[in-house]
Amino acid sequence: MPTFSPDNLLAARFQGARPGLELTAVVDAALPVTRITADVLAQDSKKIPLLDEFVLRLVGTNLRTEEAITGFLGLPANMVTDTIAEQFSKDLLTYGPPDGATSRPLALTARGDQTARELASITPVRVNEPLVFDQLLWKIRPFDRRVIIPRRQAEGQHMLLLPAAQRRPVEMSDITVAEINAQLRERGLNDREVLQIRHITESKAPRVMPAKLLVYADAGRTDIQLGVIIDGELSHPHEFALLSHGGAQALGIQVDAPAERPALEAELERARIPLAEVTQKRAEQAAAQLASVTPTELPEELPREEIRAISVFEHPDLLDEALTQARRRILLIAPWIKRAIVNTDFLSKLEKLLRRGVSVHIAYGYTLNDPKNDRDAVRKLENLASRYKERFTFTQVKSTHAKVLLYDDVWITTSFNWLSFEGDRDRTYRMEEGTLVRGRSIADTQYNRYLDLIAQESV
C-alpha cells in the first residue's frame, strides 16, 4: 500500500467533501495570528476533596469529635465517618489524649496540621498565560505556539496569506475569562481557574499559523469554494470567515479549464485505468493509512506492468519517489524551472542519486531567454551537471511542450509542470492529469525516443 504525503492524504480524504464540485488544488496557506501574554488573576484548585478539607480544618479549629463535625456540616454520619477513616489512612488525623469524655478526641498529625494551614492560606495569584490570537476569527485559539512561524518565512515559501478580520491591535476586551479557562481545560490544566484579566501584551512580530486551503470548483468553473484545514481537519468557522471577506475572488484564486492530457497510442489508451477508478482506490488506501496504528514497514509489491491515470495531487509524490528510489536512470523534461522546486532538498536528493551511479537527463525550455525560469535554480543544476559530467546531462532545448518523467521502468506523460508547479504567485489552478505506464519494454522505447528528441532540440 502506498504511503501518502500530507497533501496527497488531504486530497484523498476530502476530495468528496463538496458534492457536485471537484477538488482542484491543495494550497499552502498562512493564517495570521499574534502571540499574546495575558497577565491574569488565577486560583489553582486545591488538590484535596472538599469534604476532606472541611474535616481537617474543623479539627484544626477544635471541633474534635465525629458527632460535632457531623452536626456542623449537616451531612449523613456515614459520609463523615468514611472521610475521617480516610484521613487516618493518609496520616493526616490521629487521636489525641483522653479529655475525660467517653471517646478520644480527634487531633491533627504534624502532616495534617501542615495540610490544614496550607488549605486555609490559598489565595488567588497573578500569573502570565501565553495565548495565541487568531486574527481571522478575531479570538484566541488553542494553537500550539511551537508551530507558529514568522510571516516573512511564510512569504518566502509563497504561502497564501489569509486576511485578518480587523486591522487594529488586540485589546483586552477581545479576550474573555471564559475563553481562557476553556483553553486551559483543552490543554488538560483542570486545576487552574482564571478569575480576572488584568493586562495583555501583544507580540509585535507578525506571525502566522501554517494551514491548508482546499480549492473546489464546478465543471463550469463558475462556483469556486474553499475549505480551510487547520491542524489536519476542516474548520468551518474559518471557511465562513473567509466567505465574509470575499472568498476565492478576494484571494485572487481562479480555476482554469483542465489542461489537455497527452494521449497515448490506441492500444495503451484502451488498457488505461481511468482517473475516477484510480481516485476511488487511492481514497480507500488513504483511509487504511489513517486507520493504521502501526503502518507496515514492508515495501509495496508493485505490479510489473500497469497503465493508469494519475491526478494532479499524485505528481509531487511521484517526483519525490523518482528522486529517492531510482536505481538506474531518470529522464525529466519540463518547460520551466523554479527555485521553489529546485531547492536545497531537491538538489541534495539528486546528488545522492548521482553518487549511487544513477544516470540523469534533465531538459528544459519553452522559449529562449524565458523570464519564467529562475536563473539561480538553472545555475545550480548547471553546476551539478559540471561535477557529474559522465552521469548528468542538463540541456536547454529550443522549445518543448513535453512534460515527462521517466525513472527506471516507469514512464509518466502529463500536462503537469514538473519543475515549476510551485513558486508562481499567480493563483490560477487547473486539474492536471497524466498517465503512468509501468513496464520495461515501453519505458526503454520512450527513454530512447526522448533522448533523441533532446539531442535534436538542444540549444
Side-chain angles (χ1 to χ4, degrees), residues 95-373:
Y95 286 117
D99 58 1
T102 56
S103 60
R104 298 174 64 186
L106 297 169
L108 296 171
T109 64
R111 182 181 175 188
D113 182 61
Q114 177 67 24
T115 301
R117 283 190 280 110
E118 289 176 354
L119 290 170
S121 64
I122 291 179
T123 57
V125 294
R126 291 182 66 169
V127 295
N128 289 328
E129 283 294 339
L131 306 171
V132 178
F133 193 88
D134 184 329
Q135 293 177 298
L136 177 55
L137 296 185
W138 208 252
K139 63 188 298 185
I140 61 170
R141 298 287 293 166
F143 297 147
D144 186 346
R145 290 166 68 104
R146 294 171 296 181
V147 304
I148 292 170
I149 62 174
R151 175 170 173 156
R152 182 176 297 179
Q153 179 181 338
E155 292 171 339
Q157 296 174 3
H158 305 290
M159 299 169 73
L160 178 57
L161 297 176
L162 302 183
Q166 302 185 48
R167 294 185 177 276
R168 64 171 176 82
V170 179
E171 299 174 355
M172 201 161 68
S173 59
D174 296 320
I175 304 172
T176 69
V177 166
E179 289 173 336
I180 298 178
N181 284 326
Q183 287 206 14
L184 292 176
R185 304 298 172 265
E186 285 192 43
R187 286 156 47 192
L189 300 176
N190 299 311
D191 57 351
R192 172 163 292 177
E193 187 78 18
V194 173
L195 307 175
Q196 182 185 15
I197 303 172
R198 301 181 64 90
H199 180 70
I200 65 168
T201 303
E202 180 179 359
S203 172
K204 294 182 179 180
R207 300 276 174 170
V208 297
M209 171 77 175
K212 296 287 183 179
L213 208 62
L214 307 182
V215 181
Y216 295 88
D218 64 347
R221 299 171 299 283
T222 57
D223 183 13
I224 302 176
Q225 297 183 17
L226 304 178
V228 184
I229 301 291
I230 305 290
D231 289 335
E233 297 296 335
L234 275 172
S235 172
H236 297 298
H238 287 92
E239 177 191 337
F240 296 145
L242 279 183
L243 276 175
S244 70
H245 284 81
Q249 184 177 3
L251 292 173
I253 291 176
Q254 302 179 60
V255 177
D256 272 0
E260 184 177 355
R261 174 180 65 83
L264 305 174
E265 296 177 2
E267 183 180 352
L268 297 180
E269 282 287 350
R270 287 192 293 271
R272 181 179 186 269
I273 301 174
L275 184 58
E277 186 176 333
V278 173
T279 298
Q280 178 60 37
K281 181 179 179 182
R282 288 181 64 79
E284 295 169 356
Q285 292 170 332
Q289 178 176 321
L290 285 169
S292 176
V293 178
T294 54
T296 177
E297 295 183 359
L298 294 176
E300 178 191 8
E301 187 174 342
L302 297 172
R304 293 176 62 87
E305 295 185 356
E306 66 173 331
I307 305 172
R308 66 174 179 85
I310 55 174
S311 76
V312 62
F313 308 108
E314 194 178 355
H315 284 79
D317 286 2
L318 290 168
L319 176 59
D320 188 68
E321 180 179 304
L323 290 171
T324 55
Q325 299 183 25
R327 296 182 179 182
R328 295 184 294 114
R329 62 188 178 186
I330 289 181
L331 185 148
L332 193 153
I333 303 176
W336 304 288
I337 295 177
K338 293 289 187 180
R339 66 173 68 91
I341 303 301
V342 182
N343 53 23
T344 302
D345 183 59
F346 180 100
L347 294 167
S348 175
K349 290 175 179 177
L350 187 58
E351 185 164 11
K352 287 180 181 178
L353 291 180
L354 293 167
R355 288 175 178 172
R356 294 206 309 261
V358 175
S359 175
V360 177
H361 300 275
I362 295 179
Y364 77 101
Y366 190 72
T367 60
L368 292 178
N369 302 316
D370 194 334
K372 291 185 69 173
N373 289 306

Side-chain angles (χ1 to χ4, degrees), residues 6-158:
D7 281 5
N8 216 338
L9 190 60
L10 288 175
R13 288 177 61 197
F14 297 112
Q15 61 190 352
R18 302 292 170 86
L21 302 180
E22 185 175 28
L23 180 61
T24 304
V26 179
V27 182
D28 288 323
L31 177 69
V33 299
T34 185
R35 294 190 296 188
I36 299 288
T37 301
D39 176 9
V40 302
L41 194 64
Q43 180 169 297
D44 291 338
S45 300
K46 301 170 181 178
K47 303 181 186 305
I48 186 170
L50 192 59
L51 183 54
D52 295 39
E53 177 188 348
F54 284 164
V55 167
L56 292 177
R57 293 181 65 180
L58 288 172
V59 172
T61 57
N62 218 30
L63 208 62
R64 304 175 66 192
T65 67
E66 184 176 323
E67 294 78 8
I69 294 172
T70 301
F72 181 87
L73 295 176
L75 296 174
N78 63 320
M79 290 181 62
V80 176
T81 300
D82 291 344
T83 300
I84 290 174
E86 187 173 351
Q87 304 316 302
F88 268 88
S89 67
K90 294 179 179 178
D91 192 30
L92 299 176
L93 283 182
T94 186
Y95 286 117
D99 58 1
T102 56
S103 60
R104 298 174 64 186
L106 297 169
L108 296 171
T109 64
R111 182 181 175 188
D113 182 61
Q114 177 67 24
T115 301
R117 283 190 280 110
E118 289 176 354
L119 290 170
S121 64
I122 291 179
T123 57
V125 294
R126 291 182 66 169
V127 295
N128 289 328
E129 283 294 339
L131 306 171
V132 178
F133 193 88
D134 184 329
Q135 293 177 298
L136 177 55
L137 296 185
W138 208 252
K139 63 188 298 185
I140 61 170
R141 298 287 293 166
F143 297 147
D144 186 346
R145 290 166 68 104
R146 294 171 296 181
V147 304
I148 292 170
I149 62 174
R151 175 170 173 156
R152 182 176 297 179
Q153 179 181 338
E155 292 171 339
Q157 296 174 3
H158 305 290

Side-chain angles (χ1 to χ4, degrees), residues 260-266 268-269 272 411 413-415 433-435 446 449-450:
E260 184 177 355
R261 174 180 65 83
L264 305 174
E265 296 177 2
L268 297 180
E269 282 287 350
R272 181 179 186 269
W411 166 47
T413 177
T414 180
S415 60
E433 183 178 343
T435 301
Q446 296 299 327
R449 180 170 78 88
Y450 286 120

